[in-house]
Amino acid sequence: MLRFDLKSKKFQFSKGQRFVFTLVIVVACLLVNLNFSWAATTAKHYTDLKFPPGSAVKLPKYERYVLENGLVVYLMEDHELPLVTGTALIRTGSRLEGEKAGLASLVGSTLRSGGTKKHSADELNEILEQRAASVETDMGEAAGSASFAALSEDIEMAFGLFTEVLREPAFAQEKLDLEKTQIRGGIARRNDSPNSIASREFRKLIYGQESPYARTVEYATLDKISREDLLKFYQQYFHPNNMILGIVGDFDAQKMRSLIQAKFGDWKANTQIAKTQLPQVTQANLGGVFFVNQPQLTQSSVLIGHLGGKFDSPDYPALDVMNDVLNGFGGRLFNELRSRQGLAYSVYGMWSPRFDYPGTFVAGGQTRTETTVQFIKSLETEIKRLQTQTVTNKELNNAKNSTLNSFVFNFQNPSQTLSRLMRYEYYGYPADFLFRYQKAITATTAADVKRVAQKYLKPENLVTLVVGNQTGMKQPLTDLAAKVITIDITIPGTQPAAQK
């Protein structure tokens, strides 16, 4: 019998009880050990895991039509949640801003932050915040955008303000000045991150410093941009026949059509809009080793690569399989440079296309300063090995399965699906482009991977960029090329930072 001893202030057990408790503890330990032992003997390596084939992806039902003024509209009902979201794509972008770098970005931000002719920015913020709704605008490299989100019951209010921002922006001068101040702060901080330096300067080396795909905003160019410049840019591109509108969510399609007609139907088309001629793209440097001196760093940020291609290339699916052979857990770069040689924690190599202009092939990562040259040579070796050695069946199947199993994530929700449909129309791609790509991935062979590697990878044109501390390198960069070109990243209009 269990009893409590007041003197010792402890429970006291009989011999029988002590035996039973001891036996229970022993059995429990044995069971725990058996479980761990079973788990250890049955755990599989990630390469041995088998996954069922992905289920077929189906597009949700949607409607596409065009208003008389040329506005293209996509509607996709989704009644799972009482929410409605919408996006307008405008055929413009920073690549069309001419010599005034930063103009398009200012249009994109001040379109919303500058208020409208009916409501100031503060009034817009107050109305939207009271209803947990939003209206946002942005300007990217190849497109402008405006978006809204609201509860279903507030759709007329939110859509009305969304239309107002698109059709009647005020571009308030004080808000423009504030946006400029924020951009100046970004310019001042742009050399704080080695990776940001590498990415920015690498694009300049590939596309050229004056290319709209690589140029940077400077204090001088920013100071030359006026409110009149914003108005002129807006008036040139913001017209209904230069837009695609997509709305998804909890709404009735017939009522939504009426709302769109009421808000956009009387907006007159601009019949003088001509198809924009995109900037020509050629590789600015065919090879070469370039260096940005950052003596405070203990590791180097490395990028090597050359000009790439577009998504509509018939070889894009095979090139994407090639990407998976190179990248990720189990990829050649991970296995060789990270696991076997221990040269980097993160390493990658990608054929990275664009929709309507050539993208890049780029490989790189971060490595210790002393192993910089070894890291670069190992990257080059793996790139060349793709051209000379056929990938194994295991590599091919892993790469294809990785791509196909991730395919479903392109369609996680109706909003994402609608965004893809709009993007394909914007760039002139077929609506079923992604499904054609999926079929092509399935049909890709090891011979295809080797063929595209030989055709598209150009080791002789590889541009090499290193951001790091040259004095700490075990091998000099001149082991890679007789001439190493140093890049000056001093920000124009400021004094050079003191060398530490």
Side-chain angles (χ1 to χ4, degrees):
M1 181 177 179
L2 178 66
R3 66 185 182 84
F4 186 77
D5 188 306
L6 292 175
K7 186 176 181 180
S8 63
K9 296 182 180 180
K10 293 181 181 180
F11 285 104
Q12 292 187 346
F13 300 89
S14 67
K15 290 183 178 180
Q17 288 173 326
R18 285 199 297 271
F19 174 77
V20 171
F21 287 137
T22 302
L23 183 62
V24 169
I25 292 171
V26 170
V27 172
C29 290
L30 285 172
L31 289 173
V32 170
N33 287 334
L34 282 171
N35 284 337
F36 277 122
S37 176
W38 176 84
T41 57
T42 59
K44 295 183 178 180
H45 192 265
Y46 74 93
T47 57
D48 296 324
L49 297 175
K50 304 295 182 184
F51 299 98
S55 57
V57 176
K58 295 182 180 180
L59 289 178
K61 183 180 178 182
Y62 69 93
E63 177 184 4
R64 179 196 179 279
Y65 67 98
V66 184
L67 296 185
E68 289 185 5
N69 58 15
L71 177 68
V72 177
V73 180
Y74 282 85
L75 298 180
M76 184 179 289
E77 293 186 49
D78 176 25
H79 301 286
E80 184 175 353
L81 295 172
L83 300 172
V84 179
T85 61
T87 299
L89 294 179
I90 303 95
R91 297 187 186 279
T92 180
S94 62
R95 61 185 175 182
L96 304 180
E97 64 193 357
E99 297 179 355
K100 296 190 175 182
L103 170 60
S105 175
L106 285 169
V107 172
S109 56
T110 316
L111 188 71
R112 167 66 175 85
S113 69
T116 72
K117 294 176 182 178
K118 295 177 182 177
H119 296 93
S120 69
D122 291 339
E123 289 171 339
L124 287 175
N125 294 339
E126 184 176 352
I127 296 170
L128 291 166
E129 287 173 4
Q130 287 176 349
R131 303 291 187 89
S134 66
V135 174
E136 305 295 340
T137 60
D138 190 26
M139 186 75 68
E141 180 181 80
S145 67
S147 62
F148 72 89
L151 293 171
S152 306
E153 62 188 40
D154 297 322
I155 182 58
E156 290 193 21
M157 175 277 298
F159 191 72
L161 294 180
F162 167 76
T163 308
E164 203 176 294
V165 166
L166 273 174
R167 296 187 60 176
E168 303 176 82
F171 293 114
Q173 183 65 55
E174 66 271 17
K175 298 298 183 181
L176 172 59
D177 293 339
L178 178 60
E179 295 289 348
K180 283 188 172 185
T181 298
Q182 292 174 340
I183 293 176
R184 288 189 184 96
I187 294 174
R189 296 187 301 273
R190 75 183 183 195
N191 290 335
D192 290 353
S193 165
N195 290 340
S196 296
I197 294 171
S199 177
R200 181 185 73 234
E201 296 303 322
F202 184 75
R203 291 181 69 83
K204 290 181 182 180
L205 293 172
I206 298 298
Y207 293 107
Q209 292 197 17
E210 300 306 316
S211 167
Y213 301 114
R215 65 182 169 220
T216 55
V217 181
E218 305 292 355
Y219 295 122
T221 56
L222 190 65
D223 290 341
K224 293 178 182 178
I225 298 172
S226 66
R227 179 176 179 274
E228 288 68 31
D229 292 321
L230 270 67
L231 289 170
K232 184 178 179 181
F233 189 94
Y234 169 82
Q235 291 162 0
Q236 184 173 359
Y237 297 107
F238 283 70
H239 303 281
N241 55 324
N242 205 36
M243 295 184 187
I244 301 174
L245 172 65
I247 302 177
V248 60
D250 183 30
F251 60 82
D252 176 79
Q254 186 174 351
K255 291 181 180 179
M256 183 59 71
R257 287 181 68 123
S258 298
L259 182 60
I260 293 170
Q261 181 62 37
K263 297 298 182 180
F264 282 104
D266 63 342
W267 194 3
K268 292 184 178 180
N270 182 352
T271 57
Q272 303 302 314
I273 290 181
K275 187 174 181 180
T276 304
Q277 293 295 318
L278 298 180
Q280 292 296 312
V281 174
T282 56
Q283 186 165 329
N285 294 278
L286 296 176
V289 176
F290 300 83
F291 177 67
V292 176
N293 188 34
Q294 296 285 279
Q296 77 279 10
L297 298 180
T298 58
Q299 66 176 10
S300 297
S301 292
V302 175
L303 291 176
I304 70 173
H306 55 64
L307 199 64
K310 298 194 295 182
F311 283 111
D312 59 2
S313 165
D315 288 325
Y316 165 59
L319 287 162
D320 213 22
V321 174
M322 181 190 76
N323 280 351
D324 277 315
V325 171
L326 274 179
N327 285 298
F329 290 103
R332 288 187 175 184
L333 294 180
F334 182 94
N335 288 343
E336 180 63 23
L337 277 75
R338 185 185 189 275
S339 298
R340 196 184 75 80
Q341 297 187 45
L343 294 175
Y345 181 78
S346 172
V347 60
Y348 54 88
M350 294 176 291
W351 181 265
S352 183
R354 296 291 182 268
F355 278 104
D356 59 359
Y357 73 94
T360 58
F361 169 72
V362 59
Q366 290 76 47
T367 187
R368 301 185 308 279
T369 299
E370 60 268 23
T371 58
T372 300
V373 173
Q374 183 185 353
F375 178 74
I376 294 169
K377 288 182 176 180
S378 296
L379 280 175
E380 294 174 343
T381 297
E382 291 306 311
I383 292 169
K384 293 174 182 176
R385 193 159 72 92
L386 278 171
Q387 299 179 311
T388 58
Q389 294 182 14
T390 303
V391 298
T392 66
N393 287 333
K394 186 175 182 180
E395 286 179 312
L396 178 68
N397 291 331
N398 285 344
K400 290 170 65 173
N401 288 336
S402 172
T403 303
L404 292 171
N405 287 332
S406 64
F407 185 76
V408 66
F409 295 109
N410 295 305
F411 304 92
Q412 292 184 85
N413 54 61
S415 180
Q416 188 179 33
T417 302
L418 184 60
S419 175
R420 282 192 169 275
L421 291 171
M422 293 172 63
R423 200 181 317 160
Y424 292 148
E425 172 149 349
Y426 185 91
Y427 291 106
Y429 282 60
D432 65 344
F433 170 76
L434 208 57
F435 295 98
R436 297 184 188 185
Y437 158 82
Q438 184 185 31
K439 291 179 181 179
I441 291 290
T442 302
T444 298
T445 65
D448 290 329
V449 175
K450 187 175 183 179
R451 175 182 59 81
V452 297
Q454 291 175 339
K455 181 177 179 180
Y456 293 96
L457 300 184
K458 308 290 183 183
E460 69 278 8
N461 290 346
L462 286 173
V463 172
T464 301
L465 173 65
V466 177
V467 178
N469 176 12
Q470 194 167 10
T471 59
M473 296 178 190
K474 188 174 181 180
Q475 298 170 270
L477 292 176
T478 49
D479 280 6
L480 301 171
K483 183 179 181 181
V484 176
I485 301 172
T486 300
I487 298 175
D488 182 7
I489 59 169
T490 302
I491 301 170
T494 64
Q495 294 297 318
Q499 299 294 317
K500 296 181 179 179

